[in-house]
Amino acid sequence: MKRITIQQLCLILLLSAWGTGCDLIDMSPKGVITDKSYWSKVEDLELYANGLYGYLPRPTAHGDEGSDNFVKNNKVAILFDNMNQESASGGWSWGDIGSCNYFLQRVGNVKGDEKEINKYTAEVRFFRGLLYYNKIKRYGDVPWYETDLKTNDEELLTKPRDKRDEVLGKIIEDMEYAIRWLPEKENAVLGRLHKDAARTQLARICLYYGTYMKYHGQSGSGDLTPNNLLKKVVKLTDDIMATGRYEIVQGSDQGCDQLSFPDYPLYYSNQFTQRDLSTNKENILARYYTEGVLTHETGRQVGENGVGLSKDFVESFLMKDGTPIYNPESGYKGDENLGDEFVDRDPRIYQIIDNPHKPYRVKNGERYVNELPSVDNVRGVTGYPCVKYRSANEKQENARNTYYDWFIYRYAEVLLMNAEAHAELGSCTQPILDKTINKLRDRVEMAHLTVNPTVDAAPVNYGYTISPLLYEIRRERRIELIAEGRRFDDLQRWNAMTLLENPKTMLGIRITPSVREAYKKANTTFGPDARPTIEYQGKTYLYQYPGTSLQNNGRKWTKDDKRWLFPIPKDQLILNRNLTQNPGWEGVSGK
């Protein structure tokens, strides 16, 4: 039977306004629902809630590009300290939260089954909590609103900001309400929220602020202390794991039009180009797409997004036996040529980075590869193109024609959160690793992590000391969740912006005589008037920003750096004299 999802229902309802091929519609419920007689039956609540699903993350090939994982063809302003109040002020708007409050102010008028009414109220409170979470990450203190604002609400319109932790408490209340009243996954409409989706999002929130407070020296109070928040992460993720609904899945070639090479299975990367995630046991919540009906653009973006993975990210992959590459016993072959770097490494490396072991395209059952990864200013940038979301089916790379499904929440992240929270609390045991991190490693047939891992001989510098176990859990998270939009948040919550100072976060492939010779045959050269390079520690690397120093470049963050928070827009400070500007942004204009 052909599946009908919430995305497709929304599309069908508003087809005349939005046309075919659009992603989940970007409607404003408040703007289209004004009839006072509307709020009378449960079906009204369902239709209204449909319009809020656009607030969930959408498919994109641009996740993590503003972090140490990627190098972009143009400098990311926040990483190079090139922001000013004008360029950084987007996001201070309350229409989205007003849409949620508009519903919550009127839901009491509806007569019907209490559980059904509460279910849709739970969806709307989930979205309000999600929207407020994104706002406090961006701005810190923000005004908390529980009503839809009107032009004559002078007191509310001119209220000062509420403390971040007060708002965080309200966010947690919204999410806990959602967990209580949303249905179990098996009882939810495909693509709609359910208890495990809300548990996953709340675990993200608690992990973010549990670690943010810990590493930024904030003690919190009451239930909102680092330890209490981390304990909540453990409880939420334990609850998801205990359902028995989810597993770490080896992605199928058949499910994504891929044909692996026999010795190089694509068990990891195949998961991200599956045409159907509806029965996939790693899927907690997904967006669902259908060829010719509802599509997205990611398959095209992944080849034209102007980014490349950084040398630092590539060096974070362990050997397949779990040994860090720069340890004397690792057997790492080095980076003298394009093939050596991949030998005997964590198998995810050849599934994430373009190389001759991963088919670039499959035509008539035949595999075609790129012998040389792209190093241009659009498809490669660093010589390490990220192909995690690339389908070998060339149909998927046509404009607005990508139709593989998209994870919103997947089980791998739940396992990573559980392991990290346990490690932060000092309660991570081998059985916990075996049911979390080692499930991820089993997928790619890699050696297990133990509670006493091999210490990295050349660790990255977090600016402080952490245990070898926590170090490896963070490494695992970095690799497993690459390009899923989590990395910048991780750097912030760990107080780890010092990682951006590492020059290798801006470098690409090493340029050796053998590399020059290989690319010369493809009419690509390196150096002046060609693809730019730079010398670092006696070696030559592809470098996207000629003329910019590897050391004095704005990527150094101070303890009180203004970039921890974004600026309140100037016009809002004028309109509401009770608002205050975030630290460091006063007078920063036109830089």
Side-chain angles (χ1 to χ4, degrees), residues 43-54:
E43 289 78 8
D44 297 339
L45 305 182
E46 179 183 10
L47 179 60
Y48 191 99
N50 286 351
L52 301 178
Y53 275 78

Side-chain angles (χ1 to χ4, degrees), residues 1 59 107 145 154 224 269 281 408 431 438 483 551 554 562:
M1 178 180 291
V107 66
Y145 295 114
E154 185 174 347
L224 302 182
S269 62
K281 297 199 76 172
I408 295 173
N438 290 331
Q551 281 76 33
K562 66 181 184 297

Side-chain angles (χ1 to χ4, degrees), residues 343-359:
V343 177
D344 294 330
R345 300 283 293 281
D346 176 339
R348 285 170 291 192
I349 195 171
Y350 65 77
Q351 301 180 57
I352 291 169
I353 306 169
D354 190 23
N355 68 93
H357 303 306
K358 185 178 190 297

Side-chain angles (χ1 to χ4, degrees), residues 413-425:
E413 184 184 358
V414 169
L415 300 185
L416 288 163
M417 290 193 291
N418 186 273
E420 183 182 347
H422 270 296
E424 291 286 2
L425 292 166

Side-chain angles (χ1 to χ4, degrees), residues 34 36-37 42 73 76 137 169 202 242 339 454 546 560 562:
T34 58
K36 292 181 180 180
S37 66
V42 171
N73 52 10
V76 177
K137 279 194 302 176
L202 182 52
T454 302
D560 56 353
K562 66 181 184 297

Side-chain angles (χ1 to χ4, degrees), residues 163-166 168-169 172 209 213 218-229:
K163 294 296 184 184
R164 182 204 67 191
D165 285 3
E166 294 176 17
L168 176 59
I172 292 173
Y209 279 106
M213 290 180 183
Q218 300 171 0
S219 59
S221 61
D223 292 335
L224 302 182
T225 65
N227 271 18
N228 285 340
L229 289 169

Side-chain angles (χ1 to χ4, degrees), residues 34 104 325 369-370 377 440 449 466 506 546 557:
T34 58
L104 295 170
I325 61 172
V369 303
N370 287 333
N377 202 35
L440 305 179
L449 176 63
I466 58 175
M506 294 189 291
W557 288 51

